[in-house]
């Protein structure tokens, strides 16, 4: 499926040139590359999502697959961090997350966050959104995963390992 969208980016939303380079060059596998034009108002970006589906378009995703989506979303967030694109800066939702046809990769469309929020807060909201596209069993596993992620003592790696084990059951 092809989705081409336009994003208005003010100058303050991309604080330094290097970040702009990361958004454009496609090196970060967690975010779709943007085609960016600059004018007197700031930047305008367009991205294409060929071969991916927006998560919000999915329905009745089985429990195991919804946990894979959560795992791959965490992988995408981590990939973005490696390029200094921090989760507090962009929107994390089923409207901005896309998955390929094999459910092996999730990527984000870069949309600047309306307001900064901690990753745990964003993940809690994201998990609630995932609950809308899955089965009752999927919602049960997502609730458990959400509780693990919201527990500050548990690292993200340990949480991920724990709920990834659930998907194999």
């Amino acid at each position: 499926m092809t989705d081409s969208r336009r994003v208005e980016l003010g100058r303050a939303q991309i604080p330094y040139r290097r970040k702009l380079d990361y958004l454009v060059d496609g090196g970060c596998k967690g975010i779709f590359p943007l085609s960016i034009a600059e004018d007197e108002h700031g930047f305008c970006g367009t991205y294409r999502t060929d071969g991916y589906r927006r998560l919000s378009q999915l329905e009745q995703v089985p429990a195991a697959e919804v946990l894979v989506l959560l795992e791959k979303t965490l992988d995408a967030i981590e990939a973005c961090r490696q390029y200094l694109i921090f989760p507090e800066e962009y929107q994390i939702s089923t409207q901005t997350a896309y998955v390929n046809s094999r459910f092996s990769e999730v990527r984000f469309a870069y949309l600047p966050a309306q307001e900064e929020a901690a990753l745990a807060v964003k993940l809690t909201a994201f998990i609630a959104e995932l609950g809308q596209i899955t089965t009752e069993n999927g919602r049960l596993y997502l609730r458990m995963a959400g509780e693990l992620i919201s527990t500050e003592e548990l690292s993200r790696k340990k949480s991920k390992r724990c709920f990834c084990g659930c998907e194999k059951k």
Side-chain angles (χ1 to χ4, degrees):
M1 169 176 253
T2 299
D3 188 9
S4 181
R5 297 186 67 186
R6 184 177 162 91
V7 181
E8 297 292 330
L9 305 167
R11 291 189 196 290
Q13 291 173 316
I14 302 179
Y16 51 91
R17 187 71 188 182
R18 189 75 177 137
K19 183 168 299 231
L20 185 60
D21 292 343
Y22 290 146
L23 292 172
V24 171
D25 75 7
C28 175
K29 296 302 177 197
I31 291 225
F32 288 109
L34 282 170
S35 297
I36 295 183
E38 185 175 9
D39 62 19
E40 65 274 359
H41 303 291
F43 299 100
C44 174
T46 305
Y47 60 88
R48 296 181 57 85
T49 61
D50 297 337
Y52 287 77
R53 283 186 68 191
R54 190 179 312 171
L55 297 189
S56 63
Q57 296 172 329
L58 302 175
E59 294 177 353
Q60 293 299 303
V61 177
E65 289 181 10
V66 82
L67 289 175
V68 168
L69 286 176
L70 182 55
E71 174 191 5
K72 298 304 178 181
T73 299
L74 292 173
D75 290 345
I77 290 168
E78 190 56 37
C80 291
R81 271 183 211 250
Q82 292 174 6
Y83 285 85
L84 304 177
I85 303 169
F86 300 107
E88 295 79 11
E89 301 170 2
Y90 59 92
Q91 294 179 29
I92 297 174
S93 76
T94 58
Q95 291 292 322
T96 61
Y98 292 74
V99 66
N100 65 3
S101 60
R102 295 180 316 211
F103 274 57
S104 62
E105 183 179 48
V106 168
R107 295 179 95 176
F108 288 99
Y110 183 86
L111 292 174
Q114 303 294 347
E115 53 188 61
E116 257 188 44
L119 178 58
V121 171
K122 287 186 173 195
L123 284 177
T124 300
F126 181 75
I127 288 170
E129 289 179 25
L130 282 179
Q132 297 173 10
I133 65 167
T134 190
T135 62
E136 187 58 40
N137 266 353
R139 284 188 282 281
L140 174 65
Y141 281 115
L142 285 173
R143 275 193 293 276
M144 290 188 304
E147 289 174 15
L148 283 173
I149 288 171
S150 69
T151 304
E152 291 183 32
E153 306 89 60
L154 273 176
S155 72
R156 275 190 303 279
K157 280 187 178 181
K158 286 182 183 175
S159 298
K160 185 176 157 187
R161 203 171 338 146
C162 183
F163 65 78
C164 290
C166 292
E167 71 193 38
K168 294 177 178 127
K169 293 181 182 179

